[in-house]
Amino acid sequence: MWKYFSLEMIIRYLAVLFSYVWGGIEVFQHVRRRQQNRGRGRTDHDKGTLMLLYGAIGVGYGIGIPFAFSPYGRIAWGKPYLAIFGLLVIVAGICIRFIAMQTLGKHFSYTVNILVQHELIEQGLYRYIRHPAYLGELLIFVGIGLSFANWISLVSLFVFPFIALSVRMNVEEKALLGHFAARYVEYRKRTWRLIPWSY
């Protein structure tokens, strides 16, 4: 009986709880921002990438959570420190995403939009990487996977959202390039897409 109350198992349950609470908060914020931005002169360039992302996250959770409680794909080493490290990665991801959202301010939206008087944000984290909010989001998924201490969970929670976010980043950068032209080309030359000095 006590194995269900080990530190590793408690962290696993906390990670599952966080997954649903955080997902609910993100959806709530999306609906709230959509209502706030109604009639503010935004041009939609999303091309369905938000729904693609939600679907990818759903697939990641659909595979990752069941395997977290199965004997398949277990990461045998580093217990319980790997799971604790996963929680720290989640916190880091939340901080990065929150800072990025605050830096964008009114320019942040859950769909790819261009304002009538859109500004190219180049301060804070955006001075170095073009999509820090997505970096934070991916770190959260990686942290959840590490908290599950399961290879299958970790891979599914990273790969599916990463593919969807890659498509979304392409769509977003194309929209910004169309709006800012040469200025965005210059910005893209001196920044990294997601990870400094790597990608």
Side-chain angles (χ1 to χ4, degrees):
M1 175 181 175
W2 289 107
K3 68 178 182 179
Y4 295 108
F5 296 96
S6 67
L7 179 59
E8 187 181 359
M9 188 60 72
I10 290 170
I11 291 173
R12 207 171 298 161
Y13 282 120
L14 284 173
V16 172
L17 178 62
F18 167 79
S19 300
Y20 287 108
V21 171
W22 175 61
I25 291 171
E26 289 277 359
V27 171
F28 171 77
Q29 289 290 342
H30 165 57
V31 173
R32 185 165 157 267
R33 281 192 177 256
R34 187 173 61 183
Q35 291 173 343
Q36 289 175 344
N37 293 330
R38 192 167 291 165
R40 289 191 177 180
R42 291 175 177 259
T43 306
D44 183 23
H45 294 270
D46 194 72
K47 297 184 178 179
T49 60
L50 181 63
M51 290 299 105
L52 175 65
L53 178 59
Y54 284 166
I57 293 170
V59 172
Y61 281 160
I63 296 172
I65 292 176
F67 272 101
F69 296 92
S70 81
Y72 304 104
R74 304 292 318 146
I75 301 176
W77 48 269
K79 296 179 180 180
Y81 304 107
L82 182 67
I84 294 171
F85 178 67
L87 294 180
L88 296 176
V89 174
I90 290 172
V91 172
I94 291 171
C95 291
I96 290 172
R97 183 162 173 80
F98 178 77
I99 290 169
M101 290 166 66
Q102 290 297 112
T103 303
L104 283 179
K106 68 177 182 179
H107 293 85
F108 177 82
S109 67
Y110 284 86
T111 54
V112 180
N113 290 309
I114 299 293
L115 292 167
V116 173
Q117 295 181 324
H118 205 94
E119 299 174 27
L120 183 60
I121 306 299
E122 301 180 60
Q123 63 264 29
L125 296 173
Y126 289 90
R127 184 178 177 182
Y128 308 102
I129 53 177
R130 299 191 294 276
H131 304 281
Y134 298 153
L135 172 61
E137 195 166 11
L138 283 171
L139 283 175
I140 292 170
F141 291 127
V142 169
I144 293 169
L146 291 171
S147 298
F148 289 160
N150 186 287
W151 286 115
I152 300 172
S153 299
L154 179 58
V155 170
S156 64
L157 283 165
F158 173 75
V159 169
F160 292 106
F162 178 76
I163 291 171
L165 284 172
S166 295
V167 173
R168 187 173 174 82
M169 285 186 284
N170 287 334
V171 169
E172 189 170 314
E173 292 196 5
K174 185 177 180 181
L176 290 169
L177 183 61
H179 186 76
F180 291 107
R183 186 180 170 194
Y184 192 75
V185 172
E186 288 301 314
Y187 172 67
R188 196 162 58 178
K189 284 179 181 178
R190 63 176 183 269
T191 55
W192 297 89
R193 178 177 252 198
L194 206 60
I195 305 171
W197 306 289
S198 178
Y199 171 70

